[in-house]
Every structure is written in structure tokens, then in C-alpha cells.
Amino acid sequence: MTTHALLQAFNASKPAFGAWITLPGILNARAVAQASPYLSWVMIDCEHGLTSLQPGAAESIQAITGLGPNAPSPLVRIPATGFSNSTSWQIKYALDAGARGVLVPMVSNAEKAREIVADSRFPPGGRRGFGSPFTHGVWGIDATEYIKSANEHVVVMIQIETPEAVQNVSAIAAVDGIDCLFIGPYDLSLSLGYPPPSPDPHPDVEAVIQNVLKATHKAGKKCAIYCSSGKQALKRAEEGFDIINVASDIGAMSESVAANAIVALGGEPGAPASRY
């Protein structure tokens, strides 16, 4: 089976650092994936990013896994939120494309979490259908082996971004088959009535984040968070977060161009006021 770097990080009990892909195209996805040997995963963002589920995510996954056994695990954030009835078919598209894991935004209760698990697992553990002639090839195995192993190897992640999710976090974390609770600090801040992080969350939101971390670990699950810089990611790793974003493609590109332009003018590069 093709190496699953995210699961390797899980098994080694070390933080799994990754990067966010918001720009479309196989060359961009491949460039991000091979940017650092320290990336365990990359997230193809089909919610707020510009990559489509089909064929965009499928093509990006192929480009990433084509890098070989040391490639980071390609994950997909689907467009539909937990408030939608469209999560089922979008999870199917992402997993049929060969994604090593799926992230569903704005999941607010245990009932929706159980539905997401069912859509991500083959029977008897779920209700996922099989039929794609491509998926197993992307994983580097035959169809029979994929059906046997997918339930164990596909990572199911949901985002905690609403007041309801915060209230129900213990019940959500307890759902069998949910592997990771992913904190989205931007929408979480807005939904709680605070401005988005700039670059750090409001202290009241930070208190909520720490409570989610504790509840997730108490349930024996992994906790993830979106960060916009390596410095921020280091802090979250020291706090005990398991999966941590370190940068986005557009953020890293914009920062680099801006910083080098300032240096070319004889100035000192400084951090931008805000970035996502």
C-alpha cells in the first residue's frame, strides 16, 4: 500500500504538520506537497479554495501521490457543511478520488458526526458504496485489498466551528469512527461573536479552543487546528495538538513576494496584518 504519512505520524505519537492548498491545478498541488519533507499531509480545500471536487481534487490527489512513497497524505475538505444534506455524495467523491482522509466543515452534533462516519466506511461499518475503477490504483493496491483496508486507513475529520459544536463537543468526540476534531479558529471566532484571529484568537475564544482540545483527548481522539505560520504551529504543538497546519499556498506565496519586494527596496521584511 502507498505510504500514509499522516497515519505514520499518528502511530509515532508526534505532531503531524501539514499545508493548505487553496489554488487549483496539479502543478500547484504537487509543488506544495514536495515543498518540505516535514509535511505529513496536505489539505485540498474544496470549501473555500478554488479546487473543484471533480475533476480538480481527483487530479490533485494523483499529482501528490505520484511523488512516491514519501509523499504527504492528500486530504480533502468538502464544500458542504454539517448543516447541509449534501455531505454524503461529496464524501463519496472525495474518497473515490483516492483521498487519504476527508474533512467536513461545521459539524455541530453527534447525529451528523455518525452520518459522516457511515458515509466514509464500507459495510458493515458504514454505508459507503464501491464502484470507482480508480480509487484502489491511487492507493497502490487492488480493489479487494482496498475494500478490506479502507475503513482502517481513511481518516475521518470534522470541524468544530459553531457554538452548538462547542456545547456538544464531548458527544461528538465520543462518536465511534470519528478520528479527529479539527478546530477552525476563524469561523469559530465569528460564530461566537468575536473578530477573526489576527493572528491569534481572542482570549475568550482561546479558552474555548483549549476546552475542545481537552475534551477531544479525553475521548482518545486526535485534535487538529488551523495555523497561519510556523511560529503559531510550534506553539500549538507544544500545547499538545496532534494535527497542525503551518501555512497555505496563497499565504506563503504572498508573504514571500511581499517580503522580498521590501528587502529589494532596502527595508526590513515584516509580517502582514492578517493572513489566511
Side-chain angles (χ1 to χ4, degrees):
M1 176 179 289
T2 302
T3 302
H4 196 333
L6 178 56
L7 285 187
Q8 287 182 334
F10 283 178
N11 294 334
S13 297
K14 65 179 184 180
F17 296 110
W20 219 257
I21 296 176
T22 64
L23 296 171
I26 59 175
L27 296 179
N28 178 69
R30 196 175 177 93
V32 174
Q34 63 186 352
S36 169
Y38 302 110
L39 295 179
S40 297
W41 56 274
V42 290
M43 183 69 70
I44 301 167
D45 188 0
C46 298
E47 184 195 16
H48 294 303
L50 300 180
T51 302
S52 63
L53 270 176
Q54 291 288 9
E59 292 172 343
S60 294
I61 290 168
Q62 293 270 9
I64 293 163
T65 57
L67 291 170
N70 296 320
S73 300
L75 313 175
V76 173
R77 178 162 73 167
I78 64 170
T81 70
F83 300 117
S84 168
N85 293 322
S86 299
T87 53
S88 181
W89 69 265
Q90 293 188 11
I91 290 170
K92 175 174 64 177
Y93 271 29
L95 296 183
D96 277 2
R100 282 11 179 201
V102 63
L103 176 62
V104 180
M106 293 191 178
V107 175
S108 297
N109 56 64
E111 180 181 5
K112 186 64 180 184
R114 284 190 287 269
E115 177 186 314
I116 290 164
V117 171
D119 290 331
S120 303
R121 308 293 192 206
F122 290 124
R127 61 187 184 189
R128 180 185 174 192
F130 177 78
S132 170
F134 310 109
T135 314
H136 54 277
V138 182
W139 282 73
I141 53 179
D142 62 32
T144 301
E145 181 61 28
Y146 180 72
I147 293 173
K148 289 181 179 179
S149 62
N151 285 3
E152 181 182 354
H153 291 101
V154 166
V155 179
V156 181
M157 313 167 75
I158 58 95
Q159 280 194 266
I160 302 297
E161 303 178 277
T162 67
E164 295 79 13
V166 171
Q167 181 178 355
N168 297 325
V169 65
S170 294
I172 294 171
V175 171
D176 188 33
I178 291 294
D179 298 305
C180 174
L181 273 59
F182 200 118
I183 298 172
Y186 288 81
D187 278 329
L188 179 60
S189 296
L190 292 173
S191 71
L192 293 175
Y194 294 94
S198 183
D200 297 317
H202 186 279
D204 292 348
V205 178
E206 182 60 37
V208 172
I209 288 172
Q210 294 302 321
N211 286 336
V212 172
L213 174 63
K214 292 176 183 176
T216 304
H217 282 170
K218 185 177 181 180
K221 304 298 178 64
K222 302 294 184 180
C223 195
I225 192 165
Y226 183 95
C227 294
S228 57
S229 70
K231 180 180 180 181
Q232 203 175 54
L234 173 61
K235 175 178 177 290
R236 294 305 189 185
E238 292 172 342
E239 292 172 355
F241 282 89
D242 306 290
I243 304 174
I244 309 163
N245 185 71
V246 301
S248 69
D249 50 6
I250 186 64
M253 182 169 62
S254 299
E255 279 189 32
S256 179
V257 171
N260 281 288
I262 291 173
V263 172
L265 293 169
E268 292 292 330
S274 65
R275 56 194 169 197
Y276 180 74

